[in-house]
Every structure is written in C-alpha cells, then in structure tokens.
Amino acid sequence: MRVGITGHRGLPEPVAERVRAMLEVEVRQYPPGELVAVSCLADGPDAWFAEYVLDHGGRVETVLPAERYRDDLPEWHHPVHDGLLGSAAEVHRTGLVESGSHAHQAGSEILVGLVDLLLAVWDGKPARGYGGTADVVAYARRTGVPVRVLWPEGASRD
C-alpha cells in the first residue's frame, strides 16, 4: 500500500503530540514491511509519518518539490530531513530549482499521483497560502485519490 502524507507544519506541542499518536496508529494498521510512505519530508507530519513507517519496516519514497527545497525548511530540521532523504528508496523530483509555493504544490501533485491513499493532517480550513494542505486535499479529491483526514477533536493550530 502506498500512502502519501500532507499536513500542517508548526503545530503547537499538545496538538503535535496527539497528531503523532494518530499517525503511529495509522502505520500500525498495516503489516510490517507492506507500507510505502510517500512524503516531501517537511518538518512536522511529513517527517513523523516517514519515521514511523521506517520504524515499522516499511519503505519511504520522497518527492523533492525543488532542488533548493531544503533551504525553505527550518535549520533545526535539516538533520532529520537529510537522514530521511538518505533512507529513501526512491526520490522523485519536480525539475524545479527554486523552492516556493508553486514548487510545493507541484511536488504535492506528484506525490498524490504516486499514492493509493492520502493522509491529511488538516484542520479543515482553507490554505493560508497557495500549496497548503487544503490545496493538496482538493487536488487529491479532484483526481480521485482517497483522502483520510487526521485532526484531533477540538484542536487548533493557533
């Protein structure tokens, strides 16, 4: 089973802790070794999901939205990103160099095209900028990829 991930970054810690638990439960639903995570490896849900899948014996494929994508990630996340990228069974690229909202959406569209299911750590609200989680969910739904929304009841990202 190929499962993609999209989700809000910068979640407050109580919400992040609940989301991590939800992602871990999702991963455990699959027999060890039968899950392929497809992720852009951003900080937050993207990386957490990839780590859980690897810990569960699955594989990770990554989509790099742009060659300079890492530069858009927080510096504290670079070691995690680099480690996960090094563990990726396959790396898919958009062909774009500069990172930004259009590259992020292009990467997400490639990701959606590679998966059987998209997990969305999403509060159900509109995207705060082009290429946000809501845009990725809308694209998946338009293209017929099933979406499973994960969001802790009563949680807020602000």
Side-chain angles (χ1 to χ4, degrees):
M1 177 76 154
R2 299 174 62 78
V3 179
I5 183 75
T6 187
H8 299 311
R9 298 167 56 197
L11 297 173
E13 191 48 43
V15 176
E17 185 177 322
R18 291 167 65 193
V19 166
R20 284 191 294 268
M22 294 171 90
L23 288 169
E24 195 166 10
V25 166
E26 285 291 322
V27 169
R28 288 184 183 162
Q29 291 182 32
Y30 299 92
E34 290 190 15
L35 184 58
V36 176
V38 184
S39 171
C40 292
L41 305 179
D43 51 300
D46 285 18
W48 302 332
F49 182 62
E51 289 170 330
Y52 291 142
V53 168
L54 288 171
D55 289 346
H56 193 61
R59 291 183 314 131
V60 170
E61 293 183 13
T62 189
V63 177
L64 285 181
E67 294 307 311
R68 295 190 179 142
Y69 174 67
R70 183 180 184 270
D71 296 342
D72 275 354
L73 301 175
E75 192 170 314
W76 59 263
H77 181 65
H78 289 179
V80 173
H81 175 270
D82 296 348
L84 289 170
L85 185 60
S87 298
E90 193 166 344
V91 178
H92 307 273
R93 290 177 158 77
T94 63
L96 300 171
V97 174
E98 296 300 323
S99 190
S101 59
H102 289 283
H104 297 174
Q105 183 65 25
S108 293
E109 290 178 9
I110 289 172
L111 183 148
V112 167
L114 294 169
V115 301
D116 304 305
L117 171 70
L118 179 68
L119 297 178
V121 177
W122 180 43
D123 61 4
K125 296 179 181 174
R128 292 181 175 173
Y130 181 68
T133 303
D135 294 330
V136 180
V137 168
Y139 179 79
R141 289 179 172 159
R142 278 194 316 272
T143 59
V145 173
V147 176
R148 183 176 302 139
V149 175
L150 303 176
W151 190 252
E153 189 173 325
S156 171
R157 52 181 176 140
D158 294 322

